[in-house]
């Protein structure tokens, strides 16, 4: 029974969801140590124009920084820490927070 529930969830992020891999790759390009990036709660934007979620990655001291929001829209990604870019992409994504 658990396998039947997990298969659709795994497929949601692993196959057939156009653009989610592009979003994750773009966000990996924004973090300091991209192989360390861990993602959660990655969902399509309400506008249908990208994705948003949370990412945790290591800093220059090789310590995890904690999950922070990200937005991906129109081929660009921004982390919450980069306020101007994040706010611009958030408007395109129409994330209400």
């Amino acid at each position: 029974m658990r396998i039947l529930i997990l298969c659709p969830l795994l497929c949601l992020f692993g196959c057939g969801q156009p653009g989610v891999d592009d979003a994750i790759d773009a966000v990996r390009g924004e973090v300091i140590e991209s192989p360390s990036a861990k993602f959660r709660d990655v969902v399509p934007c309400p506008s249908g124009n990208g994705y948003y979620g949370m990412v945790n990655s290591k800093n220059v001291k090789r310590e995890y920084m904690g999950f922070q929001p990200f937005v991906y829209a129109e081929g660009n990604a921004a982390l919450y820490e980069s306020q101007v870019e994040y706010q611009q992409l958030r408007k395109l994504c129409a994330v209400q927070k």
Side-chain angles (χ1 to χ4, degrees):
M1 182 68 131
R2 290 182 186 167
I3 293 173
L4 294 175
I5 294 169
L6 286 176
C7 285
L9 292 176
L10 291 174
C11 195
L12 177 66
F13 291 104
C15 62
Q17 179 115 11
V20 75
D21 290 335
D22 294 334
I24 288 173
D25 288 344
V27 173
R28 285 186 190 277
E30 297 295 315
V31 299
I32 292 171
E33 192 174 308
S34 62
S36 72
K38 297 179 181 182
F39 294 85
R40 73 174 187 202
D41 304 329
V42 179
V43 295
C45 291
S47 67
N49 190 26
Y51 295 88
Y52 68 101
M54 304 291 283
V55 63
N56 187 9
S57 65
K58 293 181 180 178
N59 60 17
V60 293
K61 295 180 182 179
R62 301 186 65 92
E63 302 168 331
Y64 277 99
M65 300 173 13
F67 280 94
Q68 67 172 313
F70 74 85
V71 177
Y72 171 81
E74 294 188 347
N76 297 302
L79 304 175
Y80 181 76
E81 65 188 26
S82 60
Q83 281 291 304
V84 174
E85 293 86 2
Y86 179 82
Q87 294 297 331
Q88 291 170 344
L89 291 179
R90 193 178 102 170
K91 288 178 186 175
L92 292 173
C93 187
V95 176
Q96 301 300 317
K97 281 197 173 188

